[in-house]
């Protein structure tokens, strides 16, 4: 039996452990700004919905309840401006990372096929390609790729790690090119609710897709907007033919969102108040950390959206990681996201107010 793991890169976060130990030794404790995991409370109405559905002895369905699909449909139309959304355009998934990792396999891709993603990108796009034996390909502009063997094109706006937002006219151009060449577009939009200096636009917006979901699918998660990373609540929406095929495959694989999580998702998508409150928390932390980093000699690039600051001191990223670790601050090295990030670090602003304040003090000149 061959080890599938041999196809994969080294799990990047394992390489950060020595620096984590250094940061943890700080007299005032570590300020962990690396992974970007939510730390604020799950909204009360979401917890109540989860608890209310706790008595769920039967199997949930892969497609979710009609009420869940109605909630997703309503959110897509209200928040993204999508039109003519039907239940066939919707599929719940067990967290977006699972979807990203296994999508190429579930699409039937393999040797000879190509999967493309941004040159600076979430590592799981590459992992998904390697798991099925397809060839991973990076791009600066996807329309410059040779589409001959390209089967799946990943977009990511707002970007992880850079926070860059793709303008609407660029999305229009990319979607038109992909359709012309029969390339399926999956757009990772998990940070769409977290635009700061730009307003992210979905590929499902009629100005981008022309009112048709053919060949385009958007990926969304409640991990960031609603502090539900621990719930694994996410969904995809778009091309009904593609999602219908995925539904059949995922039925066989038993890829079911837990019934209480489905109920919690309905509650979360139906409430804007907690989203606004969480945005305000993040906005304050972002402003404080950005100012402190710039005073400390960092330059911030992009970062107009998402939960991260893309920062550089014009030195190797691991040198920066080591420097900050000595201050008790842990960040992610930019080369986790591709060779183009080798002189940057990704700084998350998901720590508590108290820990962010501690970081600001440590960064003071």
């Amino acid at each position: 039996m061959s080890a599938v793991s041999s196809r994969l890169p080294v799990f990047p976060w394992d390489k950060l452990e020595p620096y984590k130990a250094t940061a943890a030794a700080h007299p005032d404790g570590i300020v962990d700004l690396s992974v970007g995991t939510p730390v604020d409370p799950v909204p009360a109405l979401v917890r109540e919905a989860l608890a209310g559905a706790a008595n769920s002895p039967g199997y949930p369905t892969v497609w979710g309840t009609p009420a869940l699909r109605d909630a997703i449909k309503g959110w897509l139309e209200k928040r993204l401006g999508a039109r003519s959304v039907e239940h066939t355009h919707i599929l719940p998934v067990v967290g977006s990372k699972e979807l990203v990792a296994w999508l190429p396999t579930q699409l039937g891709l393999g040797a000879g096929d190509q999967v493309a993603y941004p040159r600076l990108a979430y590592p799981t796009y590459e992992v998904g390609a390697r798991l099925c034996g397809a060839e991973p390909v990076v791009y600066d502009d996807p329309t410059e790729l040779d589409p001959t063997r390209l089967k799946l094109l990943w977009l990511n706006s707002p970007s992880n790690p850079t926070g860059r937002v793709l303008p609407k006219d660029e999305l229009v151009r990319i979607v038109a090119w992909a359709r012309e060449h029969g390339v399926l577009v999956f757009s990772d939009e998990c940070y769409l609710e977290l635009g700061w200096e730009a307003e992210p636009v979905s590929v499902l917006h009629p100005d981008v897709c022309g009112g048709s979901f053919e060949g385009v699918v958007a990926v969304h998660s409640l991990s960031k907007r609603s502090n539900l990373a621990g719930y694994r609540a996410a969904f995809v929406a778009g091309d009904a033919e593609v999602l219908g095929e995925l539904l059949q495959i995922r039925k066989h694989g038993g890829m079911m969102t837990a019934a209480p999580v489905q109920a919690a998702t309905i509650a979360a998508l139906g409430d804007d108040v907690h989203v606004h409150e969480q945005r305000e928390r993040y906005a304050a932390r972002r402003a404080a950390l950005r100012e402190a980093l710039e005073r400390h000699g960092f330059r911030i690039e992009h970062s107009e959206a998402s939960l991260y600051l893309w920062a550089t001191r014009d030195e190797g990223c691991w040198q920066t990681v080591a420097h900050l670790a000595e201050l008790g601050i842990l960040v992610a090295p930019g080369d986790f996201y591709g060779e183009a990030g080798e002189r940057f670090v990704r700084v998350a602003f998901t720590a508590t107010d108290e820990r962010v304040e501690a970081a600001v003090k440590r960064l003071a000149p």
Side-chain angles (χ1 to χ4, degrees):
M1 185 174 66
S2 62
V4 176
S5 63
S6 65
R7 305 177 194 166
L8 307 180
V10 175
F11 187 63
W13 296 102
D14 291 344
K15 296 191 289 185
L16 202 57
E17 286 301 315
Y19 301 91
K20 185 175 183 179
T22 298
H26 190 280
D28 186 39
I30 188 173
V31 178
D32 193 341
L33 307 178
S34 60
V35 176
T37 188
V39 298
D40 298 301
V42 172
L45 83 164
V46 176
R47 284 181 276 139
E48 291 165 3
L50 183 83
N55 186 20
S56 297
Y59 291 110
T61 65
V62 172
W63 202 19
T65 64
L68 174 61
R69 298 196 297 272
D70 280 340
I72 295 172
K73 167 182 163 67
W75 184 85
L76 293 168
E77 293 173 341
K78 178 182 177 182
R79 183 63 185 85
L80 304 189
R83 297 177 187 165
S84 304
V85 180
E86 304 294 340
H87 283 203
T88 52
H89 298 129
I90 293 165
L91 180 63
V93 296
V94 190
S96 58
K97 183 169 186 174
E98 167 264 304
L99 183 279
V100 173
W102 293 108
L103 177 67
T105 298
Q106 292 174 7
L107 291 173
L109 305 190
D113 297 325
Q114 292 180 330
V115 175
Y117 49 88
R119 187 171 302 280
L120 279 167
Y122 183 48
T124 312
Y125 304 135
E126 177 187 356
V127 168
R130 294 191 181 281
L131 280 171
C132 72
E135 178 186 354
V137 177
V138 299
Y139 66 78
D140 295 306
D141 178 349
T143 66
E144 296 177 354
L145 295 170
D146 179 352
T148 306
R149 295 190 292 123
L150 183 58
K151 302 300 182 183
L152 174 62
L153 172 63
W154 279 108
L155 302 181
N156 181 208
S157 176
S159 162
N160 174 15
T162 69
R164 180 183 175 223
V165 172
L166 294 176
K168 182 169 67 175
D169 58 352
E170 191 166 346
L171 289 172
V172 171
R173 179 177 63 85
I174 293 169
V175 168
W177 176 87
R179 283 173 167 169
E180 178 185 354
H181 296 286
V183 176
L184 177 61
V185 173
F186 263 69
S187 180
D188 182 345
E189 301 174 355
C190 289
Y191 296 92
L192 185 136
E193 299 253 42
L194 295 161
W196 309 111
E197 298 162 7
E199 186 59 40
V201 179
S202 172
V203 293
L204 301 185
H205 192 286
D207 288 352
V208 175
C209 68
S212 166
F213 300 144
E214 179 186 356
V216 295
V217 178
V219 181
H220 284 273
S221 166
L222 281 76
S223 293
K224 313 301 185 185
R225 74 183 291 279
S226 300
N227 299 332
L228 297 188
Y231 283 47
R232 313 314 301 135
F235 57 89
V236 291
D239 190 311
E241 184 175 348
V242 172
L243 298 192
E245 175 68 9
L246 289 177
L247 175 59
Q248 295 306 314
I249 294 165
R250 293 170 69 85
K251 282 180 179 179
H252 283 289
M255 292 174 151
M256 302 172 281
T257 301
V261 173
Q262 293 188 34
T265 301
I266 294 169
L269 291 176
D271 178 69
D272 294 330
V273 174
H274 78 275
V275 179
H276 175 75
E277 291 175 347
Q278 190 60 45
R279 275 183 55 89
E280 292 297 303
R281 294 186 191 105
Y282 283 142
R285 294 166 186 166
R286 176 181 183 271
L289 282 170
R290 180 166 193 153
E291 181 181 355
L293 287 165
E294 289 176 337
R295 282 202 315 256
H296 197 76
F298 282 88
R299 185 177 73 256
I300 308 299
E301 292 193 1
H302 301 302
S303 306
E304 59 259 32
S306 83
L307 289 178
Y308 314 107
L309 295 169
W310 189 237
T312 181
R313 297 204 309 170
D314 294 311
E315 64 186 10
C317 60
W318 287 99
Q319 187 176 344
T320 306
V321 169
H323 168 73
L324 291 174
E326 291 293 336
L327 299 177
I329 301 170
L330 189 67
V331 298
D335 66 2
F336 276 11
Y337 308 95
E339 292 181 2
E342 64 184 1
R343 296 178 72 80
F344 286 80
V345 293
R346 193 194 74 172
V347 184
F349 41 88
T350 54
T352 64
D353 292 342
E354 184 273 332
R355 288 289 83 188
V356 168
E357 183 180 352
V360 169
K361 289 178 180 177
R362 298 175 195 183
L363 290 166

